Amino acid sequence: MAPTGTSSTGDLTSEILQALSKSDQILSTEAFAQVPFDSVKAALDRLSARSMVTYEQIERDEALLEPEAENIVSHGSHEARVFEAVRKAMGGLSIQELETEIGDKTVTKLGQGKAFKEKWIKKDGSKIVALVDSIHDVTRDQLRMIQENKTRDGKILADLRKRKLLKFQKVISFKISKGPKYALEIVKEETDLTAEMLASGSWKSATFKPYNFNALGADQHAGSLHPLGKVRQEFRQIFFEMGFTEMPSTQYVESGFWNFDALYVPQQHPARDLQDTFYISDPKTAGRPCPVSPDDKQDYNEYFENVRQVHENGKYGSIGYRYPWSEDESLRLVLRTHTTAVSAAMLYKLAALEGPGGRCPPARYFSIDRVFRNESVDATHLCEFHQVEGVIADYGLTLGGLMEFMETFFAKMSITDLKFKPAYNPYTEPSMEIFSYHKGLNKLIEIGNSGMFRPEMLETMGLPKDLRVYGFGLSLERPTMIKYGISNIRELLGHQVDINFIKKNPAVRLDKN
Ligand code: PHE
């Protein structure tokens, strides 16, 4: 069969099938020597997907003739050319005549030497004459056989290679055989079983295309979830599992009152400096806290006054901070620095609820939302990030219970072996920073902050004296960076985020433990 260099894959598949009808096994480099490798491969893949052929890729070194060797194949070896020239000239040739006859100085020189050695010619006076009638040009025959693929004799090949007449080149070819479904033509494969096929009965003789379970499917260019959103969802799930209710946390702007004063943060506290907190310039201030719905019966004015008093002179058994508390300072609008501002408002509302025995009921609240701090931006800090925050209000809670709770909570995120370090927050006492050993970084890293809210905060809200409230907070970014192996927070949040990074993130992480 004539190999075609211009064959399309379609023609090529039938050519391959044809070739196999004549021979059980074919070698692509022989049968389709002229066809580009990729086309042969594509045609074979089409056929083998239908089990019509099987093929195996083989690699071998092929001997290729150097230009000089090709010259020998067409004109004979140097020695044979010298012999022929001498033989044809009656009475021999002088060296000069021989050179003119051959027309190449090198060929003459090399050929002469070899022909003398072979005893084909000899010197007779000033002439060179032939000693034999005919010779066998071995080199030419060997090269011709190699060119026609008729020999693979290792000794001959090595010898010719040493004489720089050959070079070797890797050739990839396919050894092709009939497959279990071999036929001369590609049968049309059905991809769907239709009602018509069932009605006519044609399904009985139809060939169905097998499912390709290796196909990846086309890129859908659909939306993708941000890693922060995914980890946020994991935390939400844990909170719901543990009986928490989500707090409404979508309000980014708060008054200093809810962000600081209600939490018993003194007005001189460094966290309230311009260097740490973003203040709103327009409008600059909020009104006093007040009910937002008609069924909110709480006396916000009384609460406001109690906050003033507990800061200024102390109350509920506390001696307070003893400084002149400024209403203006407390009404300044800020971008909330923590979601604990939301927790404060929720705890105040809790005080008005009536549970069993006429007392306010236990509660578990959480939020996961954005907060703002005036920080200089670096690899681990941004001016805005997300805080995961939880509060638990109940009677008879102890610090040990908080530690136990934190262990359980973080274990659900596969974060274990927590360490607790005494810390300070104006609104909690005692306070603890939470650390976990990070295997990758080989050190303890801070993963959260926690504590039991102070009576100065809770009793001012009107919560019962024996109600205890745990609170804790952590950033959403830190665990996300750890889980997704991100070392620079700017790759996760902000204008430098690469959309491809978001898109290529796996939908599911199977990294538990
Ligand atoms: N507000 C704290 C922070 O910003 C977290 C916290 C919340 C600590 C509640 C104690 C209680 O880190």
Side-chain angles (χ1 to χ4, degrees):
M1 187 194 52
T4 49
T6 53
S7 173
S8 72
T9 315
D11 302 337
L12 192 54
T13 49
S14 59
E15 279 178 33
I16 292 171
L17 295 172
Q18 284 289 342
L20 279 172
S21 74
K22 288 171 203 134
S23 149
D24 280 344
Q25 198 170 71
I26 50 176
L27 206 58
S28 66
T29 38
E30 282 167 9
F32 306 103
Q34 258 40 267
V35 187
F37 175 86
D38 287 344
S39 315
V40 177
K41 173 111 173 67
L44 287 174
D45 285 340
R46 257 188 90 195
L47 292 169
S48 77
R50 292 169 162 80
S51 304
M52 297 179 77
V53 305
T54 58
Y55 72 91
E56 189 188 328
Q57 184 168 318
I58 48 177
E59 267 183 41
R60 60 185 172 80
D61 283 324
E62 189 171 286
L64 283 184
L65 269 54
E66 294 283 9
E68 190 186 334
E70 285 181 14
N71 202 29
I72 290 175
V73 171
S74 28
H75 300 108
S77 65
H78 304 343
E79 55 275 22
R81 284 169 71 184
V82 167
F83 171 78
E84 275 312 309
V86 173
R87 189 187 61 82
K88 275 199 286 193
M90 294 298 174
L93 294 169
S94 70
I95 296 206
Q96 200 51 56
E97 288 164 337
L98 178 61
E99 217 177 277
T100 319
E101 187 61 33
I102 302 274
D104 185 318
K105 226 178 175 157
T106 324
V107 172
T108 314
K109 202 164 160 240
L110 293 173
Q112 230 190 111
K114 198 100 195 276
F116 275 125
K117 229 166 102 196
E118 296 282 348
K119 298 202 166 30
W120 293 345
I121 54 172
K122 66 165 192 179
K123 267 213 160 114
D124 186 4
S126 62
K127 301 263 180 183
I128 299 170
V129 294
L131 271 176
V132 291
D133 289 339
S134 67
I135 52 122
H136 179 202
D137 189 351
V138 181
T139 308
R140 180 189 207 171
D141 287 354
Q142 285 176 343
L143 289 172
R144 195 178 268 151
M145 284 192 12
I146 290 163
Q147 198 177 43
E148 290 166 2
N149 245 323
K150 286 186 186 141
T151 181
R152 297 192 56 81
D153 185 315
K155 206 176 154 293
I156 297 176
L157 291 174
D159 183 47
L160 291 170
R161 182 186 183 170
K162 222 161 71 205
R163 289 167 63 188
K164 296 202 163 64
L165 292 172
L166 291 185
K167 65 176 174 214
F168 288 95
Q169 188 181 300
K170 271 227 172 337
V171 178
I172 301 171
S173 62
F174 301 106
K175 207 158 89 190
I176 314 163
S177 320
K178 288 177 183 154
K181 292 198 185 152
Y182 171 79
L184 268 177
E185 265 172 57
I186 296 183
V187 188
K188 181 176 181 278
E189 290 186 312
E190 302 294 346
T191 50
D192 287 307
L193 178 63
T194 62
E196 289 74 31
M197 289 163 85
L198 289 173
S200 70
S202 71
W203 63 271
K204 287 181 206 158
S205 55
T207 306
F208 289 95
K209 189 174 178 170
Y211 283 109
N212 178 4
F213 293 108
N214 296 321
L216 288 175
D219 192 349
Q220 292 304 309
H221 297 294
S224 17
L225 297 172
H226 192 288
L228 277 174
K230 289 191 267 198
V231 176
R232 176 172 185 267
Q233 195 54 27
E234 286 176 57
F235 273 116
R236 288 183 83 224
Q237 213 45 54
I238 293 170
F239 277 119
F240 287 135
E241 251 172 62
M242 299 183 85
F244 283 77
T245 314
E246 192 161 21
M247 297 187 266
S249 57
T250 48
Q251 187 180 311
Y252 294 169
V253 177
E254 289 281 0
S255 63
F257 179 80
W258 289 114
N259 197 80
F260 297 121
D261 296 292
L263 291 163
Y264 199 52
V265 180
Q267 294 184 332
Q268 308 75 18
H269 195 281
R272 298 181 78 151
D273 279 356
L274 281 175
Q275 286 95 315
D276 287 307
T277 299
F278 290 116
Y279 285 89
I280 306 294
S281 54
D282 186 16
K284 278 188 166 50
T285 55
R288 274 189 173 215
C290 61
V292 282
S293 74
D295 41 65
D296 187 349
K297 299 275 184 288
Q298 284 180 287
D299 188 341
Y300 283 80
N301 280 326
E302 188 193 339
Y303 175 45
F304 195 74
E305 283 313 313
N306 283 336
V307 168
R308 177 205 301 281
Q309 282 172 34
V310 82
H311 278 247
E312 228 167 48
N313 305 310
K315 214 176 170 181
Y316 316 104
S318 167
I319 61 166
Y321 288 123
R322 302 175 174 211
Y323 70 96
W325 186 81
S326 147
E327 175 168 339
D328 289 346
E329 186 61 37
S330 115
L331 296 181
R332 285 175 77 185
L333 285 171
V334 301
L335 282 180
R336 69 173 176 218
T337 60
H338 50 189
T339 43
T340 318
V342 183
S343 300
M346 289 299 287
L347 287 170
Y348 177 61
K349 284 210 172 80
L350 177 69
L353 299 184
E354 218 174 276
R359 309 203 297 169
C360 98
R364 291 183 165 209
Y365 300 135
F366 82 93
S367 68
I368 306 171
D369 216 329
R370 201 171 280 223
V371 298
F372 307 85
R373 290 184 193 174
N374 198 354
E375 305 226 37
S376 32
V377 171
D378 65 24
T380 53
H381 293 91
L382 288 178
C383 295
E384 49 188 306
F385 60 98
H386 296 83
Q387 217 168 34
V388 179
E389 165 132 351
V391 295
I392 299 179
D394 207 341
Y395 301 92
L397 296 181
T398 63
L399 188 69
L402 172 57
M403 292 163 82
E404 147 81 27
F405 172 83
M406 294 314 321
E407 302 260 7
T408 315
F409 178 81
F410 280 109
K412 287 178 186 280
M413 278 304 263
S414 304
I415 299 172
T416 52
D417 304 316
L418 303 187
K419 296 263 182 283
F420 298 93
K421 179 181 158 191
Y424 172 76
N425 293 311
Y427 38 93
T428 53
E429 182 60 36
S431 311
M432 299 181 300
E433 278 168 0
I434 306 164
F435 288 77
S436 160
Y437 180 74
H438 188 272
K439 288 195 193 91
L441 298 171
N442 196 23
K443 63 174 183 185
L444 285 169
I445 57 163
E446 196 197 326
I447 49 170
N449 179 12
S450 67
M452 296 181 74
F453 286 114
R454 293 183 73 105
E456 285 93 337
M457 167 183 160
L458 301 178
E459 287 187 41
T460 312
M461 292 173 169
L463 288 162
K465 245 187 178 353
D466 54 347
L467 184 87
R468 299 281 173 274
V469 183
Y470 299 152
F472 63 94
L474 57 130
S475 90
L476 179 64
E477 280 74 6
R478 174 151 288 181
T480 307
M481 286 168 76
I482 295 169
K483 302 251 173 228
Y484 284 85
I486 302 160
S487 54
N488 189 335
I489 195 166
R490 286 166 284 196
E491 287 168 29
L492 192 62
L493 191 62
H495 65 284
Q496 288 176 19
V497 172
D498 178 1
I499 193 81
N500 283 317
F501 159 73
I502 309 287
K503 287 198 160 222
K504 291 204 181 102
N505 257 293
V508 177
R509 283 189 343 258
L510 299 172
D511 63 354
K512 292 253 166 177
N513 303 314

